[in-house]
Amino acid sequence: MAPFDLSGLGAGGSAALFIAIGILFGYVLEASGFGDSRKLAGQFYFTDLAVLKVMFTGIVVAMVLIVWTSSVGLLNFDDLWVNSTFLWPGIVGGLVMGVGFVVGGYCPGTSLVSMATLKKDGAMFVVGVLLGIFVFGESVELLEPFFSSGEMGRVTLGSALGLSPGVVVALVTVLALVFFVGADFIQKKLHGPVAPGRRVGRFTIPTLAAAGLVLAVIPLLFVKEPGYLDKWEKMTDKHALVTERQVQIDPAELLATMGDDALRLELLDLRPEPAYNRFHIQDAQRADLRGLEGARERLLHLPTNTVIVLVDQQEERSTKAFALLTAMGVRNVYLLEGGVDGWLSVYGDGPMRPGDGPALGERWAASRPNAHEGHEREYTKKIKLVVKAKKSGGCG
Amino acid sequence: MTTARTPAPYWNPYFGGAMLGLLLFLSFAVTSNGLGASGALNRVVVATEGVVAQRHVDTTPYLAEMGGADRNPLDHWMVWEILGIILGGLASGLIHKRAKVETFKGPHISVRTRLVFALAGGAIMGYGARLARGCTSGQGLSGGSTMSLGSWLFLFAMFASAYFVAIFARRLWR
């Protein structure tokens, strides 16, 4: 499932990939007229609204494709970089950039294209951008706490407004189409006729394209977001982790991890409360299978050296929880081989039967056996800490 | 060259937009990231500062995050991407016969005035883009298509401000 893990490409391969993406981006920008400051500024005087049309069309087309492929399970939206929302600096930054846009006639990306085609004003703008960035970097400390204010993390229009992605896409598409018609109308009123699109039969190509877009969006209105277990079913590349027992760790490896100062252990016990109260491994927190979705944000943002180990009486609930967490995009998840029964068969005096003994929680000797007292046990080490490179977005 | 240097017309905006959207989608699908520009320019600035005063970069948190100690600020996908943007822009400029030394400006100002305003506008834009944590590409296109709340508010703020300021900057362009 996309997006792909690019670590196999190596440094050279990934550089080549990003250069290729950049070349296409630069080509599209230049061919659409974004290398000409007069055309860019024309949008603000309603003489030429092509720039707004290109941008808005680009956003809508990409959005429709992203939501379509996510809803049929080809793309994992959770893995995409979504710009974090910093409410106030974002808005004020936007207001400042609007001034620069009109005064300078470009934005950073378009000025690069203009410079590449040897335009002096484009090159001067690039120099200006570098200067502005320099000044910002040197003075950012003066801007705190404003620069970090209104931090909301990864918020989409859908989650903010309580709408499904399909409804958001439909609304944005309608907004875009109204805008396109309105733009031509205003331009015609102020500056005379707008060149009509080429015709195919009775309709112009833009009209046909708009109709196609609407037809593509309608089914999205009825798509329910797939649940995480549905997602897991489609993540066939990860199923071998469970079936080939690559994530089921030996009790001895859990014990070693408990004593490893370099790792932060998050031990989640999925058994019902009475069983947990009777006995659990030291520092295990009780977690409910159904409550895991609500804990998603917390689990995604644990410190990077955290290893999550799931514990059940045997392995039933922990295997299910593994599937859920993996589908949510949580990393470094393992489960205890054989569960509490397996743990007690190694460190306890035989499996603890229900009703056995008092509810001592973690005050049993078996909750934290001493690793140095004859408990050395051969096992295959399975925990490999994966630190995902912090994704930085478009302009991060 | 024997052919006349008449520039080719620009693409139809809806065609250009569809190509841009397709590229943006492919970028997300393959790399999980969208497109960007100002972040890479930021790294170029930090790299330059590192050559002149590495100690200063090391001791300023904002800069050190990109280029502190043994970190190479240029070792980032976006730096490769802007290299591509320049190459792709040049390729299209050559193919469409638009690559030539000239200055684009409004009819009522001199070339010198235009260059001064380009520099000033660039500086304002660069400053604002870092404040907003992204430019028209990184916030607008990438954040817009992934439906980020902040990116949409940013887009409305930027265009509202631009349309307002344009009223007073008419002489620059018209």
Side-chain angles (χ1 to χ4, degrees), chain B residues 88-132:
Chain B
L90 177 62
S92 171
L94 290 172
I95 289 168
H96 297 109
K97 305 199 179 93
R98 286 191 287 262
K100 67 168 188 188
V101 179
E102 62 185 319
T103 305
F104 288 133
K105 63 178 189 65
H108 300 299
I109 56 169
S110 68
V111 169
R112 177 184 295 229
T113 311
R114 167 66 187 127
L115 293 182
V116 169
F117 275 93
L119 184 74
I124 297 170
M125 192 61 130
Y127 187 90
R130 293 332 298 163
L131 181 56

mmCIF file of all heavy atoms in Angstrom, chain B residues 88-132:
data_model
loop_
_atom_site.group_PDB
_atom_site.id
_atom_site.type_symbol
_atom_site.label_atom_id
_atom_site.label_comp_id
_atom_site.label_asym_id
_atom_site.label_seq_id
_atom_site.Cartn_x
_atom_site.Cartn_y
_atom_site.Cartn_z
ATOM 1 N N GLY B 88 13.801 21.882 -14.446
ATOM 2 C CA GLY B 88 12.540 21.738 -15.184
ATOM 3 C C GLY B 88 12.056 23.065 -15.732
ATOM 4 O O GLY B 88 11.547 23.141 -16.852
ATOM 5 N N GLY B 89 12.210 24.130 -14.939
ATOM 6 C CA GLY B 89 11.811 25.462 -15.407
ATOM 7 C C GLY B 89 12.637 25.875 -16.623
ATOM 8 O O GLY B 89 12.105 26.375 -17.618
ATOM 9 N N LEU B 90 13.939 25.596 -16.544
ATOM 10 C CA LEU B 90 14.825 25.928 -17.666
ATOM 11 C C LEU B 90 14.440 25.116 -18.900
ATOM 12 O O LEU B 90 14.351 25.660 -20.007
ATOM 13 C CB LEU B 90 16.288 25.656 -17.270
ATOM 14 C CG LEU B 90 17.316 25.895 -18.365
ATOM 15 C CD1 LEU B 90 17.318 27.352 -18.795
ATOM 16 C CD2 LEU B 90 18.718 25.494 -17.905
ATOM 17 N N ALA B 91 14.168 23.813 -18.704
ATOM 18 C CA ALA B 91 13.804 22.945 -19.835
ATOM 19 C C ALA B 91 12.562 23.491 -20.525
ATOM 20 O O ALA B 91 12.540 23.658 -21.753
ATOM 21 C CB ALA B 91 13.566 21.519 -19.350
ATOM 22 N N SER B 92 11.530 23.822 -19.731
ATOM 23 C CA SER B 92 10.304 24.340 -20.336
ATOM 24 C C SER B 92 10.575 25.684 -21.011
ATOM 25 O O SER B 92 10.056 25.960 -22.091
ATOM 26 C CB SER B 92 9.218 24.487 -19.273
ATOM 27 O OG SER B 92 8.112 25.170 -19.803
ATOM 28 N N GLY B 93 11.409 26.514 -20.378
ATOM 29 C CA GLY B 93 11.738 27.821 -20.952
ATOM 30 C C GLY B 93 12.423 27.676 -22.307
ATOM 31 O O GLY B 93 12.137 28.408 -23.254
ATOM 32 N N LEU B 94 13.338 26.689 -22.409
ATOM 33 C CA LEU B 94 14.043 26.479 -23.676
ATOM 34 C C LEU B 94 13.094 25.918 -24.730
ATOM 35 O O LEU B 94 13.053 26.388 -25.863
ATOM 36 C CB LEU B 94 15.219 25.511 -23.459
ATOM 37 C CG LEU B 94 16.398 26.059 -22.650
ATOM 38 C CD1 LEU B 94 17.401 24.956 -22.338
ATOM 39 C CD2 LEU B 94 17.074 27.220 -23.388
ATOM 40 N N ILE B 95 12.311 24.913 -24.337
ATOM 41 C CA ILE B 95 11.404 24.271 -25.294
ATOM 42 C C ILE B 95 10.377 25.267 -25.815
ATOM 43 O O ILE B 95 10.064 25.299 -27.001
ATOM 44 C CB ILE B 95 10.717 23.055 -24.639
ATOM 45 C CG1 ILE B 95 11.734 21.936 -24.442
ATOM 46 C CG2 ILE B 95 9.538 22.566 -25.478
ATOM 47 C CD1 ILE B 95 11.272 20.801 -23.565
ATOM 48 N N HIS B 96 9.866 26.109 -24.918
ATOM 49 C CA HIS B 96 8.834 27.062 -25.329
ATOM 50 C C HIS B 96 9.412 28.409 -25.750
ATOM 51 O O HIS B 96 8.694 29.392 -25.858
ATOM 52 C CB HIS B 96 7.809 27.251 -24.199
ATOM 53 C CG HIS B 96 7.065 26.000 -23.862
ATOM 54 N ND1 HIS B 96 7.261 25.301 -22.689
ATOM 55 C CD2 HIS B 96 6.148 25.286 -24.561
ATOM 56 C CE1 HIS B 96 6.480 24.231 -22.673
ATOM 57 N NE2 HIS B 96 5.797 24.195 -23.793
ATOM 58 N N LYS B 97 10.717 28.457 -25.906
ATOM 59 C CA LYS B 97 11.422 29.667 -26.368
ATOM 60 C C LYS B 97 11.157 30.880 -25.471
ATOM 61 O O LYS B 97 10.879 31.971 -25.934
ATOM 62 C CB LYS B 97 11.011 29.998 -27.811
ATOM 63 C CG LYS B 97 11.235 28.833 -28.766
ATOM 64 C CD LYS B 97 11.264 29.325 -30.210
ATOM 65 C CE LYS B 97 11.513 28.195 -31.172
ATOM 66 N NZ LYS B 97 10.269 27.587 -31.700
ATOM 67 N N ARG B 98 11.207 30.642 -24.180
ATOM 68 C CA ARG B 98 10.995 31.763 -23.262
ATOM 69 C C ARG B 98 12.223 32.052 -22.408
ATOM 70 O O ARG B 98 12.178 32.930 -21.563
ATOM 71 C CB ARG B 98 9.800 31.466 -22.336
ATOM 72 C CG ARG B 98 8.464 31.580 -23.029
ATOM 73 C CD ARG B 98 7.328 31.544 -22.041
ATOM 74 N NE ARG B 98 7.127 30.215 -21.485
ATOM 75 C CZ ARG B 98 6.211 29.346 -21.920
ATOM 76 N NH1 ARG B 98 5.408 29.672 -22.905
ATOM 77 N NH2 ARG B 98 6.088 28.172 -21.359
ATOM 78 N N ALA B 99 13.312 31.282 -22.614
ATOM 79 C CA ALA B 99 14.502 31.480 -21.788
ATOM 80 C C ALA B 99 15.367 32.569 -22.400
ATOM 81 O O ALA B 99 16.155 32.331 -23.298
ATOM 82 C CB ALA B 99 15.281 30.172 -21.675
ATOM 83 N N LYS B 100 15.190 33.787 -21.936
ATOM 84 C CA LYS B 100 16.094 34.851 -22.366
ATOM 85 C C LYS B 100 16.189 35.898 -21.266
ATOM 86 O O LYS B 100 15.284 36.038 -20.442
ATOM 87 C CB LYS B 100 15.631 35.461 -23.683
ATOM 88 C CG LYS B 100 14.336 36.212 -23.598
ATOM 89 C CD LYS B 100 14.148 37.011 -24.895
ATOM 90 C CE LYS B 100 12.952 37.923 -24.767
ATOM 91 N NZ LYS B 100 12.590 38.589 -25.997
ATOM 92 N N VAL B 101 17.321 36.624 -21.271
ATOM 93 C CA VAL B 101 17.535 37.615 -20.226
ATOM 94 C C VAL B 101 16.574 38.776 -20.445
ATOM 95 O O VAL B 101 16.577 39.403 -21.506
ATOM 96 C CB VAL B 101 18.989 38.130 -20.260
ATOM 97 C CG1 VAL B 101 19.189 39.177 -19.168
ATOM 98 C CG2 VAL B 101 19.963 36.983 -20.077
ATOM 99 N N GLU B 102 15.732 39.028 -19.477
ATOM 100 C CA GLU B 102 14.802 40.159 -19.553
ATOM 101 C C GLU B 102 14.247 40.434 -18.160
ATOM 102 O O GLU B 102 14.516 39.690 -17.225
ATOM 103 C CB GLU B 102 13.659 39.880 -20.544
ATOM 104 C CG GLU B 102 12.802 38.691 -20.147
ATOM 105 C CD GLU B 102 11.751 38.336 -21.200
ATOM 106 O OE1 GLU B 102 11.143 39.268 -21.759
ATOM 107 O OE2 GLU B 102 11.532 37.135 -21.442
ATOM 108 N N THR B 103 13.509 41.524 -18.030
ATOM 109 C CA THR B 103 12.887 41.857 -16.753
ATOM 110 C C THR B 103 11.398 42.033 -16.985
ATOM 111 O O THR B 103 10.993 42.823 -17.837
ATOM 112 C CB THR B 103 13.477 43.173 -16.198
ATOM 113 O OG1 THR B 103 14.891 43.025 -16.118
ATOM 114 C CG2 THR B 103 12.916 43.477 -14.822
ATOM 115 N N PHE B 104 10.604 41.288 -16.250
ATOM 116 C CA PHE B 104 9.158 41.463 -16.342
ATOM 117 C C PHE B 104 8.737 42.578 -15.396
ATOM 118 O O PHE B 104 9.125 42.587 -14.224
ATOM 119 C CB PHE B 104 8.429 40.174 -15.945
ATOM 120 C CG PHE B 104 8.549 39.081 -16.959
ATOM 121 C CD1 PHE B 104 8.875 37.796 -16.564
ATOM 122 C CD2 PHE B 104 8.314 39.323 -18.303
ATOM 123 C CE1 PHE B 104 8.970 36.772 -17.495
ATOM 124 C CE2 PHE B 104 8.401 38.304 -19.243
ATOM 125 C CZ PHE B 104 8.731 37.017 -18.842
ATOM 126 N N LYS B 105 7.943 43.524 -15.904
ATOM 127 C CA LYS B 105 7.523 44.630 -15.052
ATOM 128 C C LYS B 105 6.233 45.240 -15.585
ATOM 129 O O LYS B 105 5.845 44.986 -16.733
ATOM 130 C CB LYS B 105 8.626 45.697 -14.992
ATOM 131 C CG LYS B 105 8.934 46.341 -16.348
ATOM 132 C CD LYS B 105 9.986 47.402 -16.212
ATOM 133 C CE LYS B 105 10.152 48.200 -17.490
ATOM 134 N NZ LYS B 105 8.977 48.989 -17.882
ATOM 135 N N GLY B 106 5.600 46.056 -14.767
ATOM 136 C CA GLY B 106 4.445 46.810 -15.229
ATOM 137 C C GLY B 106 4.900 47.904 -16.177
ATOM 138 O O GLY B 106 6.085 48.273 -16.186
ATOM 139 N N PRO B 107 3.994 48.443 -16.999
ATOM 140 C CA PRO B 107 4.395 49.403 -18.029
ATOM 141 C C PRO B 107 4.853 50.759 -17.490
ATOM 142 O O PRO B 107 5.516 51.506 -18.200
ATOM 143 C CB PRO B 107 3.131 49.560 -18.876
ATOM 144 C CG PRO B 107 2.008 49.128 -17.994
ATOM 145 C CD PRO B 107 2.564 48.118 -17.060
ATOM 146 N N HIS B 108 4.506 51.105 -16.247
ATOM 147 C CA HIS B 108 4.772 52.476 -15.785
ATOM 148 C C HIS B 108 5.945 52.611 -14.823
ATOM 149 O O HIS B 108 6.137 53.649 -14.217
ATOM 150 C CB HIS B 108 3.521 53.069 -15.125
ATOM 151 C CG HIS B 108 2.363 53.118 -16.061
ATOM 152 N ND1 HIS B 108 2.382 53.850 -17.228
ATOM 153 C CD2 HIS B 108 1.157 52.497 -16.026
ATOM 154 C CE1 HIS B 108 1.241 53.690 -17.875
ATOM 155 N NE2 HIS B 108 0.484 52.863 -17.166
ATOM 156 N N ILE B 109 6.726 51.564 -14.634
ATOM 157 C CA ILE B 109 7.878 51.697 -13.745
ATOM 158 C C ILE B 109 9.148 51.316 -14.494
ATOM 159 O O ILE B 109 9.097 50.595 -15.496
ATOM 160 C CB ILE B 109 7.739 50.819 -12.470
ATOM 161 C CG1 ILE B 109 7.522 49.350 -12.848
ATOM 162 C CG2 ILE B 109 6.611 51.311 -11.580
ATOM 163 C CD1 ILE B 109 7.629 48.396 -11.684
ATOM 164 N N SER B 110 10.285 51.803 -13.997
ATOM 165 C CA SER B 110 11.557 51.505 -14.649
ATOM 166 C C SER B 110 12.049 50.120 -14.226
ATOM 167 O O SER B 110 11.564 49.545 -13.253
ATOM 168 C CB SER B 110 12.601 52.551 -14.238
ATOM 169 O OG SER B 110 12.903 52.394 -12.864
ATOM 170 N N VAL B 111 13.011 49.611 -14.979
ATOM 171 C CA VAL B 111 13.598 48.310 -14.655
ATOM 172 C C VAL B 111 14.210 48.349 -13.255
ATOM 173 O O VAL B 111 14.036 47.428 -12.459
ATOM 174 C CB VAL B 111 14.676 47.929 -15.703
ATOM 175 C CG1 VAL B 111 15.477 46.727 -15.223
ATOM 176 C CG2 VAL B 111 14.016 47.634 -17.039
ATOM 177 N N ARG B 112 14.896 49.463 -12.945
ATOM 178 C CA ARG B 112 15.541 49.572 -11.638
ATOM 179 C C ARG B 112 14.506 49.504 -10.509
ATOM 180 O O ARG B 112 14.689 48.780 -9.535
ATOM 181 C CB ARG B 112 16.324 50.881 -11.548
ATOM 182 C CG ARG B 112 16.969 51.094 -10.185
ATOM 183 C CD ARG B 112 17.636 52.437 -10.130
ATOM 184 N NE ARG B 112 18.753 52.477 -11.077
ATOM 185 C CZ ARG B 112 19.975 52.908 -10.756
ATOM 186 N NH1 ARG B 112 20.213 53.332 -9.536
ATOM 187 N NH2 ARG B 112 20.929 52.918 -11.630
ATOM 188 N N THR B 113 13.416 50.267 -10.675
ATOM 189 C CA THR B 113 12.357 50.232 -9.653
ATOM 190 C C THR B 113 11.831 48.805 -9.497
ATOM 191 O O THR B 113 11.632 48.315 -8.390
ATOM 192 C CB THR B 113 11.187 51.149 -10.063
ATOM 193 O OG1 THR B 113 11.736 52.407 -10.435
ATOM 194 C CG2 THR B 113 10.198 51.324 -8.936
ATOM 195 N N ARG B 114 11.605 48.153 -10.625
ATOM 196 C CA ARG B 114 11.068 46.793 -10.583
ATOM 197 C C ARG B 114 12.012 45.866 -9.799
ATOM 198 O O ARG B 114 11.569 45.066 -8.974
ATOM 199 C CB ARG B 114 10.876 46.280 -12.013
ATOM 200 C CG ARG B 114 10.615 44.781 -12.129
ATOM 201 C CD ARG B 114 9.285 44.373 -11.510
ATOM 202 N NE ARG B 114 9.155 42.927 -11.492
ATOM 203 C CZ ARG B 114 8.862 42.210 -10.422
ATOM 204 N NH1 ARG B 114 8.644 42.790 -9.266
ATOM 205 N NH2 ARG B 114 8.774 40.905 -10.497
ATOM 206 N N LEU B 115 13.312 45.992 -10.045
ATOM 207 C CA LEU B 115 14.261 45.100 -9.374
ATOM 208 C C LEU B 115 14.301 45.370 -7.875
ATOM 209 O O LEU B 115 14.402 44.440 -7.074
ATOM 210 C CB LEU B 115 15.653 45.236 -9.998
ATOM 211 C CG LEU B 115 15.737 44.735 -11.454
ATOM 212 C CD1 LEU B 115 17.162 44.852 -11.986
ATOM 213 C CD2 LEU B 115 15.251 43.287 -11.585
ATOM 214 N N VAL B 116 14.201 46.663 -7.501
ATOM 215 C CA VAL B 116 14.186 46.985 -6.071
ATOM 216 C C VAL B 116 12.948 46.383 -5.408
ATOM 217 O O VAL B 116 13.023 45.777 -4.338
ATOM 218 C CB VAL B 116 14.216 48.521 -5.859
ATOM 219 C CG1 VAL B 116 13.935 48.864 -4.400
ATOM 220 C CG2 VAL B 116 15.559 49.080 -6.297
ATOM 221 N N PHE B 117 11.799 46.520 -6.086
ATOM 222 C CA PHE B 117 10.572 45.965 -5.502
ATOM 223 C C PHE B 117 10.607 44.427 -5.480
ATOM 224 O O PHE B 117 10.081 43.810 -4.557
ATOM 225 C CB PHE B 117 9.340 46.477 -6.258
ATOM 226 C CG PHE B 117 8.855 47.806 -5.756
ATOM 227 C CD1 PHE B 117 9.269 48.993 -6.328
ATOM 228 C CD2 PHE B 117 7.997 47.853 -4.662
ATOM 229 C CE1 PHE B 117 8.838 50.216 -5.832
ATOM 230 C CE2 PHE B 117 7.553 49.080 -4.167
ATOM 231 C CZ PHE B 117 7.982 50.266 -4.758
ATOM 232 N N ALA B 118 11.230 43.822 -6.504
ATOM 233 C CA ALA B 118 11.348 42.356 -6.517
ATOM 234 C C ALA B 118 12.147 41.890 -5.302
ATOM 235 O O ALA B 118 11.792 40.918 -4.626
ATOM 236 C CB ALA B 118 11.999 41.876 -7.808
ATOM 237 N N LEU B 119 13.240 42.620 -5.024
ATOM 238 C CA LEU B 119 14.078 42.266 -3.877
ATOM 239 C C LEU B 119 13.289 42.422 -2.575
ATOM 240 O O LEU B 119 13.274 41.528 -1.718
ATOM 241 C CB LEU B 119 15.326 43.154 -3.854
ATOM 242 C CG LEU B 119 16.347 42.848 -2.762
ATOM 243 C CD1 LEU B 119 17.106 41.568 -3.085
ATOM 244 C CD2 LEU B 119 17.335 44.002 -2.598
ATOM 245 N N ALA B 120 12.606 43.570 -2.456
ATOM 246 C CA ALA B 120 11.846 43.827 -1.229
ATOM 247 C C ALA B 120 10.707 42.819 -1.069
ATOM 248 O O ALA B 120 10.513 42.245 0.010
ATOM 249 C CB ALA B 120 11.281 45.252 -1.267
ATOM 250 N N GLY B 121 9.976 42.589 -2.159
ATOM 251 C CA GLY B 121 8.874 41.629 -2.101
ATOM 252 C C GLY B 121 9.374 40.242 -1.750
ATOM 253 O O GLY B 121 8.746 39.523 -0.969
ATOM 254 N N GLY B 122 10.517 39.871 -2.322
ATOM 255 C CA GLY B 122 11.100 38.559 -2.009
ATOM 256 C C GLY B 122 11.422 38.438 -0.536
ATOM 257 O O GLY B 122 11.147 37.413 0.099
ATOM 258 N N ALA B 123 11.997 39.523 0.034
ATOM 259 C CA ALA B 123 12.366 39.484 1.450
ATOM 260 C C ALA B 123 11.119 39.342 2.329
ATOM 261 O O ALA B 123 11.094 38.549 3.270
ATOM 262 C CB ALA B 123 13.146 40.748 1.819
ATOM 263 N N ILE B 124 10.074 40.100 1.985
ATOM 264 C CA ILE B 124 8.827 40.001 2.762
ATOM 265 C C ILE B 124 8.258 38.588 2.634
ATOM 266 O O ILE B 124 7.839 37.956 3.614
ATOM 267 C CB ILE B 124 7.790 41.034 2.248
ATOM 268 C CG1 ILE B 124 8.330 42.455 2.455
ATOM 269 C CG2 ILE B 124 6.456 40.853 2.959
ATOM 270 C CD1 ILE B 124 7.500 43.520 1.755
ATOM 271 N N MET B 125 8.275 38.068 1.411
ATOM 272 C CA MET B 125 7.760 36.737 1.161
ATOM 273 C C MET B 125 8.556 35.679 1.931
ATOM 274 O O MET B 125 7.983 34.775 2.535
ATOM 275 C CB MET B 125 7.836 36.467 -0.345
ATOM 276 C CG MET B 125 7.100 35.255 -0.809
ATOM 277 S SD MET B 125 5.337 35.389 -0.462
ATOM 278 C CE MET B 125 4.593 34.981 -1.990
ATOM 279 N N GLY B 126 9.882 35.798 1.878
ATOM 280 C CA GLY B 126 10.733 34.817 2.564
ATOM 281 C C GLY B 126 10.466 34.815 4.059
ATOM 282 O O GLY B 126 10.331 33.758 4.680
ATOM 283 N N TYR B 127 10.361 36.030 4.620
ATOM 284 C CA TYR B 127 10.091 36.140 6.056
ATOM 285 C C TYR B 127 8.732 35.529 6.391
ATOM 286 O O TYR B 127 8.600 34.714 7.303
ATOM 287 C CB TYR B 127 10.133 37.617 6.464
ATOM 288 C CG TYR B 127 10.036 37.823 7.958
ATOM 289 C CD1 TYR B 127 11.190 37.860 8.744
ATOM 290 C CD2 TYR B 127 8.796 37.965 8.581
ATOM 291 C CE1 TYR B 127 11.103 38.021 10.110
ATOM 292 C CE2 TYR B 127 8.705 38.136 9.951
ATOM 293 C CZ TYR B 127 9.867 38.173 10.706
ATOM 294 O OH TYR B 127 9.777 38.332 12.064
ATOM 295 N N GLY B 128 7.708 35.905 5.613
ATOM 296 C CA GLY B 128 6.359 35.396 5.859
ATOM 297 C C GLY B 128 6.264 33.894 5.694
ATOM 298 O O GLY B 128 5.566 33.214 6.442
ATOM 299 N N ALA B 129 6.997 33.360 4.709
ATOM 300 C CA ALA B 129 6.925 31.921 4.441
ATOM 301 C C ALA B 129 7.478 31.122 5.611
ATOM 302 O O ALA B 129 6.986 30.040 5.929
ATOM 303 C CB ALA B 129 7.682 31.578 3.157
ATOM 304 N N ARG B 130 8.499 31.651 6.265
ATOM 305 C CA ARG B 130 9.035 30.926 7.427
ATOM 306 C C ARG B 130 8.111 31.079 8.622
ATOM 307 O O ARG B 130 7.948 30.160 9.412
ATOM 308 C CB ARG B 130 10.445 31.407 7.780
ATOM 309 C CG ARG B 130 11.522 31.105 6.777
ATOM 310 C CD ARG B 130 11.256 29.868 5.944
ATOM 311 N NE ARG B 130 11.171 28.639 6.710
ATOM 312 C CZ ARG B 130 10.631 27.512 6.261
ATOM 313 N NH1 ARG B 130 10.119 27.448 5.059
ATOM 314 N NH2 ARG B 130 10.591 26.449 7.018
ATOM 315 N N LEU B 131 7.497 32.245 8.740
ATOM 316 C CA LEU B 131 6.556 32.460 9.833
ATOM 317 C C LEU B 131 5.366 31.505 9.682
ATOM 318 O O LEU B 131 4.888 30.910 10.648
ATOM 319 C CB LEU B 131 6.092 33.922 9.824
ATOM 320 C CG LEU B 131 5.115 34.345 10.916
ATOM 321 C CD1 LEU B 131 5.695 34.051 12.289
ATOM 322 C CD2 LEU B 131 4.797 35.827 10.791
ATOM 323 N N ALA B 132 4.914 31.336 8.447
ATOM 324 C CA ALA B 132 3.749 30.484 8.185
ATOM 325 C C ALA B 132 4.141 29.007 8.097
ATOM 326 O O ALA B 132 3.288 28.158 7.915
ATOM 327 C CB ALA B 132 3.068 30.913 6.894
#
